[in-house]
Amino acid sequence: MMRRMAAAEPVKEQRQHILSGVVDALLKDLKQGTGDRDRRRQVEEWMRSLAEKYPEFKIEIGLRDYYLAEAERLRSDFEKAQDLTEKLSLGRNIEAFLDRAAEYDRRLAER
């Protein structure tokens, strides 16, 4: 039984190291706006599911920063938009991203 636990420890450490690198890379890509919106949403959903499972990865910080960066990108689109309907849609999306960023900021402050 003791040998089994000892052998499992390096695997756990390797898992943490490997997965941590994957999470870091994906959060960086999110923040930079890599890929189209649908792909970023898929990554965002996965990161949200991992956030509670792996608090040591600081995923909440990455998601907060992503939401702020996405709001900035949309703000740039808003400035270029001519159509009022498009501006309204962008404004609502900007608000939603800022709300999500604020929620993660609250969660981080509570810890």
Side-chain angles (χ1 to χ4, degrees), residues 46-106:
W46 188 45
M47 291 298 107
R48 288 172 49 194
S49 73
L50 290 179
E52 288 187 33
K53 190 173 179 182
Y54 299 100
E56 65 273 18
F57 292 167
K58 312 276 189 244
I59 295 170
E60 291 91 354
I61 293 169
L63 285 171
R64 179 202 59 200
D65 294 349
Y66 158 65
Y67 294 137
L68 290 171
E70 197 71 11
E72 283 290 329
R73 278 189 286 281
L74 291 176
R75 178 71 170 127
S76 176
D77 291 346
F78 180 87
E79 294 298 325
K80 297 173 196 167
Q82 298 296 315
D83 181 66
L84 188 58
T85 303
E86 184 180 2
K87 283 185 171 185
L88 176 61
S89 176
L90 287 166
R92 287 178 173 165
N93 285 325
I94 290 166
E95 179 190 23
F97 280 113
L98 292 173
D99 286 348
R100 290 181 200 150
E103 175 61 29
Y104 276 99
D105 208 39
R106 276 190 293 275

Side-chain angles (χ1 to χ4, degrees), residues 9-76:
E9 194 59 34
V11 171
K12 182 180 178 183
E13 289 173 18
Q14 287 178 351
R15 178 182 179 178
Q16 293 288 98
H17 177 73
I18 293 168
L19 191 55
S20 174
V22 169
V23 167
D24 288 345
L26 287 172
L27 288 172
K28 181 180 175 189
D29 286 345
L30 276 180
K31 188 175 177 183
Q32 292 176 347
T34 303
D36 64 25
R37 285 188 181 144
D38 288 336
R39 300 289 184 249
R40 288 195 304 268
R41 294 287 192 295
Q42 290 174 4
V43 172
E44 172 197 355
E45 287 177 21
W46 188 45
M47 291 298 107
R48 288 172 49 194
S49 73
L50 290 179
E52 288 187 33
K53 190 173 179 182
Y54 299 100
E56 65 273 18
F57 292 167
K58 312 276 189 244
I59 295 170
E60 291 91 354
I61 293 169
L63 285 171
R64 179 202 59 200
D65 294 349
Y66 158 65
Y67 294 137
L68 290 171
E70 197 71 11
E72 283 290 329
R73 278 189 286 281
L74 291 176
R75 178 71 170 127
S76 176

